[in-house]
Amino acid sequence: MKKFTLFALMAIFTAAPFILASCDDDPWYDDYNWRYRNWYGHYDHGNGNSQGQNQGSSIADEGACLVGTWVGKMIYTYPDDKGNIDKVQFDAEMIFKFNSNNVYTEGVGTEIDRAGNDTQTLNFTWYIDNYGNIYVRYSDTGKAFKLDVESTTKGFYLDQNQFNGYMVAQADVEEIEFSFTRSGNNSKKSPAKAKKLKTDTSNIPYKLVKR
């Protein structure tokens, strides 16, 4: 899995404004555990690799690239009611927006999932930490997932046209493999040819599962 690199984004977003906001003015910061908890015990936030990964650019550039409408496919791996690990797949559209303060490293979003004639709409919040990791939390259930910039096996790739990789929950039991291309407009029916997922999808049913 390719890891996200920010070098290619510098020229595009050098002129983008980076607006700082007070923590007291934005309800995003109210949930301290969501934003600052230690996700993985083995993950060293002081290691030099993450700093080198983003050298020469900024997380504001990453956020500016992330914002927009992405369409493609998701495969959701999760424990069912009996504790067995199950998988489903569905078509998805993820819309990333800035929050009301227009801070480039955090915001809100909407995910629209489709499987046959079934649809579901999920709201989420997101932010990017100082090392380039992206965190997504679904609003209804509070389930949170990490997109790990340092992972070589379940990381993610992001550029102006493609966004693919893994969203992994804290317990490592749940994960979402996704493959998106950027939509040319905000229409919910925008066609897209997503980059092919590595997983063999032939035996994975099309089904929606609440997150």
Side-chain angles (χ1 to χ4, degrees), residues 1-3 148 150-156 165-166 198:
M1 172 60 60
K2 295 182 180 178
K3 295 188 295 181
D148 192 342
E150 286 298 315
S151 176
T152 58
T153 57
K154 292 189 176 181
F156 67 96
Y166 290 85
K198 294 190 303 181

Side-chain angles (χ1 to χ4, degrees), residues 4 6 9-10 13 18 20 35 50-51 53-67 98 103-106 126-134 149 158:
F4 177 98
L6 296 173
L9 302 179
M10 273 300 290
F13 297 108
F18 186 20
L20 299 177
R35 189 173 173 86
S50 55
Q51 291 285 4
Q53 177 73 21
N54 296 336
Q55 186 177 6
S57 189
S58 74
I59 58 173
D61 297 331
E62 182 179 354
C65 187
L66 177 65
V67 165
F98 298 128
V103 176
Y104 272 54
T105 55
E106 59 190 55
W126 62 271
Y127 81 92
I128 303 173
D129 69 15
N130 290 334
Y131 302 94
N133 302 302
I134 302 172
V149 73
L158 171 65

Side-chain angles (χ1 to χ4, degrees), residues 29-39 127 137:
Y29 294 91
D30 290 349
D31 188 348
Y32 181 89
N33 288 332
W34 150 237
R35 189 173 173 86
Y36 295 105
R37 66 183 172 183
N38 182 16
W39 274 70
Y127 81 92
R137 182 177 68 168

